[in-house]
Amino acid sequence: MLNPEALVKEAKASKHREVYRTLDSSLSYRIGVGVRLDSSENYSFFIEVLFYLCPASGSVDLETLDKCLACLKELEKRGYCLTCQDGGCISCEATVSIERVSEEYFAVRSLIANILNP
């Protein structure tokens, strides 16, 4: 499912020198992995988690917000950088080595599942 070497190859062929794949998503979040290349052909992998705090319906679900907050706190402890984006969305991103990208994805997916769907 996740092939880091193929992502590097795709990024090298990409006009923008970056590639991103969504690996898991729901109404509350999205998890993806990407790779960026710099001008020296060095690459860096990242895991990104987006939390959608305000759904398109406009309704506020405080229980889900509490769970998302718990996820955000855990991701911050794991070293993720948290930033606000448009549309009531919070982006969490961490750079990971090629050796750890799959492991980190599965750890984050498990963390989120355990908090959002105990």
Side-chain angles (χ1 to χ4, degrees):
M1 181 171 155
L2 179 57
N3 184 338
E5 292 82 8
L7 288 174
V8 170
K9 186 176 178 180
E10 240 181 283
K12 286 181 179 181
S14 167
K15 176 182 175 183
H16 299 290
R17 316 288 289 162
E18 181 174 324
V19 67
Y20 179 86
R21 293 287 176 266
T22 298
L23 301 176
D24 194 14
S25 64
S26 77
L27 294 175
S28 302
Y29 70 91
R30 180 180 83 196
I31 305 171
V33 63
V35 62
R36 294 181 183 108
L37 286 137
D38 66 17
S39 59
S40 300
E41 296 292 312
N42 297 315
Y43 58 83
S44 60
F45 279 88
F46 61 94
I47 301 287
E48 179 188 59
V49 184
L50 297 176
F51 286 97
Y52 306 109
L53 303 179
C54 297
S57 67
S59 62
V60 176
D61 180 347
L62 294 178
E63 184 178 341
T64 300
L65 283 175
D66 279 343
K67 291 177 180 181
C68 285
L69 180 58
C71 289
L72 292 169
K73 288 178 180 180
E74 290 301 315
L75 289 171
E76 187 174 49
K77 285 180 191 175
R78 289 183 74 86
Y80 281 71
C81 177
L82 280 57
T83 57
C84 292
Q85 295 193 345
D86 294 339
C89 180
I90 296 180
S91 171
C92 311
E93 187 175 306
T95 301
V96 294
S97 67
I98 190 170
E99 298 84 15
R100 290 200 59 245
V101 69
S102 292
E103 176 186 335
E104 183 64 15
Y105 162 65
F106 288 115
V108 168
R109 187 178 76 172
S110 177
L111 179 150
I112 292 170
N114 289 334
I115 293 173
L116 292 182
N117 305 310

